[in-house]
Amino acid sequence: LRPNPLIAAVAAPPIAAARGWVAGRAFPADRPLIDLTQAVPGHPPPADLAAHLAARAGDPDVHRYTDILGLPALRAAHAARLSTAYGAEVSAAAVGIVAGCNQAFCLAMMALARAGDEVILPTPWYFNHRMWLDMLGVTAVPLPFRPEAAGVPAVADAARLIGPRTRAIVLVTPNNPTGAVYPPGVLRAFRALARERGIAMVIDETYKDFLAPGAGPHGLFAESDWADGLVQLYSFSKVYALTGHRVGSVVAGPALLAEIEKIMDCVGICAPHLGQIAALYGIRELDPWVAANGTDMRARADAFAAGLVRIGGWRLVSIGAYFAYVAHPWAELTAEAAARRLVDGWAVLSLPGSMFGPDQERFLRLAFANVSDEIVPEVIRRLADAAA
Ligand SMILES: Cc1ncc(COP(=O)(O)O)c(C=O)c1O
């Protein structure tokens, strides 16, 4: 049996690979493993959401397929939410509900590009984006990392990379892995470039709900031609702590969404019905919970950043609600060797920058949102010890 060589050439899922370094290993009781690999909320969803799902589970209808692009009520509620947030007109017809933001990316890329085409990805990239492009035979063109600009990529660099096979540029803001937030003016300039060069701009806003209130949304949906070339990807996973329910969205103009609907029909038929009900409940009922949670997460990020700066040895490149992207203290080591040294010596499991693209050997990603507030000082203590 010969598997598809495009798939076989892709490395194993990175988080599982990193967890494999410590599989079966016992850590001492006074220094248990602290796992900072995966961006999952460290808390469960609120109890009233769980109770709502339990109550709805008795209805035979919730175990059936929904429309391919999701429950009409959820599409409408999400569209209304986006319209308010961005000061724009986003219609329910522009919203597709899918099985998570990873799937949203897969669908959007498959609808936009074919084997031999190119898609520009800023480095460090979200590894699943790169993996999917590789699987499609689409070339991921790396846009250089600018640690000196807190990880915000340069439009001029992107302009130089666009060629006849370029189909899209993908931006993730707030970013994974760096946490960087791209300013609205930068996003506007990327969109202007994409428009001028006839390529799509795909923006993954999985972490947008964790921005500080008043951080100022981008104005891309308020531009009258947004539906011609702008695609937004979003996740309900993080905002309502629903990672296992698999529900996200893709917002696009009608022509592209019609193509996405065909692909979705084949790969999923629809997003999980109960997950959609959970997302709808979240939109209708959970604003106060989301706001309080966002405040807590930003406080944790501030504490983490302050701790890192205080101890020295680790240079903070950028930080968001979920991740810190840091230069590790061991210039002589590769990123993987540094990550292994950190877990072997201090029981802190992180992801090496090299999992996120080229030229990332100096960096580690620490997904501190995984741990509770009480653990943050312990992480900082161990990082200080490691750098000493
Ligand atoms: C940038 C980004 N996009 C998408 C996802 C996946 O989200 P979902 O759970 O909705 O598939 C993640 C999760 O870590 C992410 O960081």
Side-chain angles (χ1 to χ4, degrees):
L1 178 76
R2 273 197 343 119
N4 176 344
L6 289 175
I7 312 292
V10 171
I15 290 175
R19 288 186 173 151
W21 303 337
V22 294
R25 198 188 298 178
F27 289 86
D30 62 340
R31 195 189 256 176
L33 178 70
I34 298 177
D35 183 347
L36 304 185
T37 54
Q38 194 165 28
V40 288
H43 49 266
D48 54 323
L49 186 150
H52 178 69
L53 290 186
R56 290 300 308 277
D59 175 354
D61 194 44
V62 307
H63 305 289
R64 300 203 172 98
Y65 297 130
T66 67
D67 292 350
I68 297 170
L69 290 180
L71 291 169
L74 176 58
R75 296 177 73 187
H78 190 43
R81 156 71 44 110
L82 293 173
S83 300
T84 307
Y86 293 101
E89 288 277 321
V90 178
S91 72
V95 173
I97 301 299
V98 298
C101 193
N102 263 17
Q103 188 180 69
F105 178 82
C106 297
L107 300 173
M109 287 302 123
M110 201 176 234
L112 284 166
R114 62 179 163 168
D117 286 340
E118 296 177 0
V119 168
I120 297 173
L121 296 186
T123 53
W125 48 52
Y126 174 47
F127 41 68
N128 290 141
H129 287 175
R130 167 65 195 266
M131 289 162 76
W132 183 245
L133 293 176
D134 285 353
M135 291 178 193
L136 292 180
V138 172
T139 304
V141 177
L143 180 58
F145 183 36
R146 298 199 311 151
E148 70 289 355
V152 178
V155 181
D157 290 342
R160 281 191 288 277
L161 297 176
I162 298 175
R165 298 299 306 255
T166 311
R167 301 289 295 125
I169 177 157
V170 178
L171 302 177
V172 179
T173 180
N175 190 261
N176 177 2
T178 66
V181 179
Y182 300 175
V186 171
L187 293 174
R188 217 167 30 246
F190 270 108
R191 171 71 173 131
L193 172 70
R195 182 191 289 116
E196 184 192 313
R197 306 292 285 272
I199 64 173
M201 173 166 153
V202 178
I203 176 169
D204 176 331
E205 295 194 80
T206 290
Y207 301 99
K208 77 179 179 61
D209 305 292
F210 302 97
L211 289 170
H218 62 70
L220 301 179
F221 283 123
E223 293 173 353
S224 58
D225 67 344
W226 79 260
D228 186 15
L230 180 67
V231 182
Q232 188 219 36
L233 314 177
Y234 175 68
S235 173
F236 294 97
S237 289
K238 320 278 170 170
V239 61
Y240 304 129
L242 291 176
T243 49
H245 280 287
R246 313 309 306 130
V247 54
S249 68
V250 49
V251 176
L256 191 70
L257 204 57
E259 305 306 334
I260 286 173
E261 185 176 21
K262 294 180 207 166
I263 310 170
M264 183 64 187
D265 187 32
C266 298
V267 301
I269 303 182
C270 66
H273 196 149
L274 266 181
Q276 296 188 55
I277 288 172
L280 183 57
Y281 183 86
I283 292 175
R284 287 180 174 160
E285 307 290 344
L286 294 183
D287 280 356
W289 183 86
V290 170
N293 183 46
T295 304
D296 289 352
M297 293 194 51
R298 284 188 298 279
R300 188 181 313 166
D302 289 347
F304 197 80
L308 269 181
V309 170
R310 194 180 64 245
I311 61 177
W314 298 84
R315 186 167 56 78
L316 182 63
V317 176
S318 52
I319 187 163
Y322 270 75
F323 314 107
Y325 204 60
V326 298
H328 59 76
W330 306 296
E332 73 286 5
L333 296 187
T334 63
E336 180 173 331
R340 284 177 179 265
R341 179 181 285 188
L342 186 61
V343 74
D344 289 346
W346 295 275
V348 175
L349 188 60
S350 62
L351 292 186
S354 46
M355 286 181 171
F356 303 95
D359 303 325
Q360 305 299 316
E361 297 295 353
R362 289 293 291 120
F363 307 106
L364 300 180
R365 186 191 82 171
L366 307 173
F368 57 83
N370 282 4
V371 298
S372 57
D373 286 342
E374 311 80 72
I375 304 292
V376 168
E378 173 63 12
V379 176
I380 296 294
R381 259 193 302 279
R382 294 191 196 183
L383 294 177
D385 270 7

